[in-house]
Amino acid sequence: MASTVSHKDKRATTTKFVMIFQDSGINDLHAAVKDAENVREFLICRLGVSQNRIAYLRDEEATREAIIKVMEDLANDSAISKDDPILIYYAGHGAEADPPDRHWPTSSENGKVQMLLPHDFVKNPEGSEDIRGQGILDIKISSILSKIARNKSNNISGGLDTHVLLAACERGRQAFENEVHGLFTEELLLLLTKEDINRLSYKDIIMRIRHLPSQAPQCEGVYSDRIIFTVEDRPRPAVYDIKPIPGMTNQFTFDSAGQAHGVTIGDKFAVHSDKHLNSLIGYVVVSKSTSFSSECSAEVPLPIFHVAYAVQVSTLRLSIDRKDPSYARLVQSIGPLLANTSMHSVQLVDAGKGQDLSMSTYNGRVRFGIENKICRQYGLTRMPYDVAVDDTDKVLSILRCASDFYSRLDLSHPNKGNSLKGKVHVGCHKIRISDTTDDLERGHAYVPESANLNKEGFIDIGDDLGEDVPYGYKISNSLNLPLYVALPSQEPYYNPPTANNGEVDVPLPPRRSLTIGFGDGGWPARTYLLRKNQTIDVGFLKLYVSTKYIDYSSICQKSPFEKGHARATGIFKMRPKEVW
């Protein structure tokens, strides 16, 4: 598992290989070695990665000790710079085991955690403390990768509990091979060879890979929207297929856009002839909306014969004091949003008339007033940063982000009696390393330290702030139904995996819990802080719950103030337990 190099695409690449060929007692894999060789050839010939930047563990070389060491060495490799991509490719068997701590929560129905089986794996007698020949628990891998992310780079893709995971099949299922190739690796390399990888995100890979009838590859992780092997995000709005209703003039239907997607009667959509949203052909307005589908109409005929592509228009209610000396200038600067010819629009309203946001100027700077009642109740009345009056691009960027944010903030089920509200519970806890998980070879499990901080929908962090103070979340299902959940934010707290044809792992089985930051959830803990000269901050978390998979990743958005400014929340960089 190697160091760093610049290749043909001018990306510094650190590529890691973990090749497992199973020991006796476990069925040998015919294609594992060939798959690893093909991936290595792709990296060298297609991407121009130098061979000495690739560490390759095969057969008897891939012991538990060797696999762990080659990953741990990454955290201290001087050749790896900030944001260098790291790929860990694993071909071999996986299994399930009891968690390292009996109090450790798991989301699987059988209460087990996942692990990799190295070449020297043996089934140790129950109660044995000899870790040689045992599997590598996902918690151990997560601990190593967190250290790599803290010291070097969070641009990690590959195996269990990484910042981006591409898995050949669903959890607890089997990935298949033929006599020559693993089915997933074969299709993956075929796609990467023919596609422009400079425009391909990790999520795109899973959505574009050819359908495998016997297994459903999954993509999961905080950074699944990144262009592969880069730190470049490619955020995109939710795009819906829109089709004409047979026999009806200017009447159309969305087969997969309903109330659960945030679509309600009266909502406006911009319609394009192409998926990349480069050819606007008109607008439609929703006339009927059910849980997972909608109907809409157009005021003027639209040239939609088979299928077109629609994106929801978000509207921000904005107030500007007419007495402000820069009133005319501000109105002129937001002209493109007032024109109502894009995915975002602004509606000017008078103060006190239900505005989402207000704008004013002071000493040549634009200030953004927060009008949300909850924020103002706690004394948060203004955004923490302002911008120059003449920085029109930045003003527009902030208003676009605000438009998206407020359009989702008040979304709720229209029929309280039929919703899942109250059936799923969210707990927030300060967390710490478990005292009972003291075996450094197995990794360290984080467990709740505090009681549930969520009191009737409000979480008060108090003064327990800072990059070294982690918080985790526990989402519990009280129903006998499997549920899909999402907890999006600037960087998602949790999003379910992505899979072609919607064949996604169910994240919340009946009467089980999904954990964030501890347990086997695989998603990192969070930290919170106050910016300079700030005494209070207020944030919002909205949990989306449904019995059907819905991709809510488009809700996540970067802060327009982020560059050069401190953030109020971040991902906790897990640290090893200090012992002597």
Side-chain angles (χ1 to χ4, degrees):
M1 298 181 172
S3 35
T4 314
V5 71
S6 296
H7 60 70
K8 295 175 184 176
D9 292 335
K10 297 182 180 179
R11 300 176 193 165
T13 303
T14 302
T15 306
K16 310 299 168 217
F17 279 89
V18 178
M19 179 63 237
I20 307 299
F21 195 76
Q22 300 305 325
D23 204 345
S24 59
I26 301 178
N27 294 330
D28 284 346
L29 298 172
H30 300 289
V33 172
K34 184 63 175 176
D35 281 348
E37 291 175 349
N38 289 340
V39 173
R40 181 169 63 171
E41 181 181 358
F42 168 81
L43 293 169
I44 294 171
C45 299
R46 174 75 165 84
L47 301 185
V49 178
S50 175
Q51 292 194 49
N52 65 358
R53 303 304 190 190
I54 300 173
Y56 187 78
L57 298 179
R58 166 178 172 167
D59 295 342
E60 64 277 358
E61 299 173 340
T63 64
R64 184 182 194 277
E65 182 179 358
I67 294 171
I68 290 175
K69 182 180 186 305
V70 80
M71 289 194 294
E72 288 181 333
D73 286 347
L74 296 175
N76 302 311
D77 191 335
S78 60
I80 302 176
S81 302
K82 177 178 170 57
D83 295 334
D84 282 349
I86 299 169
L87 170 66
I88 301 174
Y89 176 82
Y90 172 83
H93 282 299
E96 294 182 327
D98 291 328
D101 185 330
R102 65 185 180 87
H103 298 295
W104 205 53
T106 67
S107 60
S108 61
E109 293 190 58
N110 61 7
K112 303 287 188 178
V113 297
Q114 294 182 308
M115 65 179 178
L116 304 184
L117 304 185
H119 179 80
D120 59 344
F121 175 80
V122 293
K123 296 181 179 179
N124 280 354
E126 184 176 353
S128 171
E129 296 183 359
D130 184 4
I131 55 115
R132 293 171 297 177
Q134 293 186 4
I136 308 174
L137 295 180
D138 59 356
I139 184 178
K140 177 64 176 179
I141 298 172
S142 180
S143 176
I144 296 171
L145 296 181
S146 294
K147 184 177 180 181
I148 297 170
R150 184 176 68 250
N151 290 1
K152 295 294 182 181
S153 169
N154 64 21
N155 190 3
I156 307 171
S157 58
L160 291 170
D161 281 349
T162 67
H163 287 72
V164 181
L165 165 67
L166 296 180
C169 63
E170 311 98 304
R171 180 173 182 167
R173 300 291 294 276
Q174 183 176 354
F176 292 89
E177 62 178 1
N178 53 37
E179 291 298 322
V180 183
H181 304 288
L183 300 185
F184 173 67
T185 298
E186 181 179 26
E187 294 299 328
L188 173 65
L189 292 178
L190 180 64
L191 178 73
L192 293 179
T193 300
K194 70 179 183 179
E195 292 278 355
D196 179 3
I197 64 172
N198 294 296
R199 298 171 57 88
L200 197 67
S201 71
Y202 295 103
K203 185 180 293 185
D204 289 335
I205 291 175
I206 294 299
M207 298 305 295
R208 297 183 190 181
I209 203 168
R210 192 168 64 177
H211 178 62
L212 301 175
S214 56
Q215 63 197 75
Q218 310 277 310
C219 174
E220 183 177 8
V222 178
Y223 303 120
S224 58
D225 278 318
R226 281 181 174 177
I227 302 299
I228 61 173
F229 308 138
T230 76
V231 293
E232 176 188 349
D233 286 311
R234 195 174 76 176
R236 68 191 94 185
V239 179
Y240 304 104
D241 291 358
I242 179 173
K243 301 176 182 178
I245 299 176
M248 301 184 69
T249 304
N250 285 339
Q251 299 295 311
F252 306 93
T253 180
F254 298 112
D255 290 334
S256 58
Q259 296 163 359
H261 303 77
V263 178
T264 58
I265 294 174
D267 285 353
K268 186 176 182 179
F269 283 77
V271 182
H272 295 256
S273 61
D274 67 307
K275 280 188 176 180
H276 299 293
L277 308 180
N278 293 322
S279 302
L280 180 67
I281 60 177
Y283 294 89
V284 295
V285 176
V286 175
S287 55
K288 180 181 178 180
S289 181
T290 63
S291 294
F292 299 104
S293 64
S294 299
E295 294 180 5
C296 54
S297 59
E299 294 182 357
V300 297
L302 297 182
I304 303 177
F305 303 103
H306 299 290
V307 63
Y309 307 96
V311 61
Q312 195 168 10
V313 177
S314 57
T315 301
L316 176 73
R317 299 184 298 272
L318 178 70
S319 69
I320 306 175
D321 189 348
R322 295 178 183 273
K323 297 180 181 179
D324 191 292
S326 299
Y327 175 81
R329 190 173 185 177
L330 291 176
V331 172
Q332 182 180 10
S333 69
I334 65 174
L337 299 181
L338 293 172
N340 200 20
T341 58
S342 67
M343 295 184 296
H344 305 88
S345 66
V346 164
Q347 177 186 356
L348 286 178
V349 299
D350 292 332
K353 300 296 183 181
Q355 70 272 23
D356 301 310
L357 206 66
S358 62
M359 283 173 58
S360 61
T361 59
Y362 180 78
N363 288 342
R365 309 283 294 181
V366 180
R367 290 180 168 181
F368 298 90
I370 297 174
E371 304 298 330
N372 178 270
K373 291 181 179 179
I374 295 177
C375 291
R376 297 186 71 87
Q377 173 186 340
Y378 286 95
L380 187 65
T381 59
R382 186 162 64 89
M383 290 187 182
Y385 307 112
D386 49 35
V387 299
V389 172
D390 57 359
D391 193 345
T392 300
D393 289 341
K394 177 60 71 173
V395 171
L396 291 175
S397 174
I398 293 168
L399 294 182
R400 290 188 186 102
C401 287
S403 176
D404 287 333
F405 174 79
Y406 285 105
S407 68
R408 290 285 186 174
L409 183 59
D410 296 325
L411 174 65
S412 61
H413 198 291
N415 186 343
K416 302 299 182 183
N418 291 333
S419 74
L420 295 171
K421 186 176 182 180
K423 308 300 190 297
V424 176
H425 308 281
V426 179
C428 173
H429 305 268
K430 184 179 176 183
I431 61 175
R432 59 170 175 81
I433 293 177
S434 170
D435 292 331
T436 60
T437 309
D438 56 0
D439 185 346
L440 295 177
E441 288 295 322
R442 288 186 171 89
H444 291 289
Y446 276 76
V447 296
E449 177 180 349
S450 71
N452 184 9
L453 300 176
N454 184 1
K455 307 298 183 184
E456 299 182 353
F458 288 86
I459 299 171
D460 185 359
I461 299 297
D463 296 327
D464 253 346
L465 305 171
E467 295 180 350
D468 294 324
V469 184
Y471 289 86
Y473 290 81
K474 184 177 182 180
I475 304 172
S476 301
N477 180 5
S478 65
L479 297 174
N480 290 317
L481 293 172
L483 296 174
Y484 294 90
V485 295
L487 197 60
S489 184
Q490 290 181 7
E491 287 176 335
Y493 282 55
Y494 177 81
N495 273 333
T498 298
N500 206 346
N501 297 327
E503 299 177 8
V504 173
D505 274 340
V506 175
L508 195 55
R511 299 197 176 276
R512 300 293 297 183
S513 296
L514 170 71
T515 53
I516 300 169
F518 64 102
D520 72 337
W523 285 69
R526 310 297 299 195
T527 61
Y528 302 95
L529 55 84
L530 291 174
R531 303 173 181 90
K532 185 179 180 180
N533 299 324
Q534 191 177 18
T535 59
I536 191 168
D537 199 6
V538 178
F540 294 89
L541 287 176
K542 181 179 285 290
L543 179 70
Y544 294 83
V545 183
S546 67
T547 56
K548 179 179 179 180
Y549 169 70
I550 297 174
D551 184 1
Y552 287 110
S553 61
S554 62
I555 297 176
C556 303
Q557 59 174 332
K558 297 295 183 182
S559 168
F561 298 108
E562 187 171 302
K563 188 175 182 181
H565 295 295
R567 301 178 60 191
T569 180
I571 291 175
F572 173 65
K573 296 180 179 180
M574 187 165 49
R575 300 180 183 278
K577 186 175 183 179
E578 297 177 348
V579 297
W580 63 280

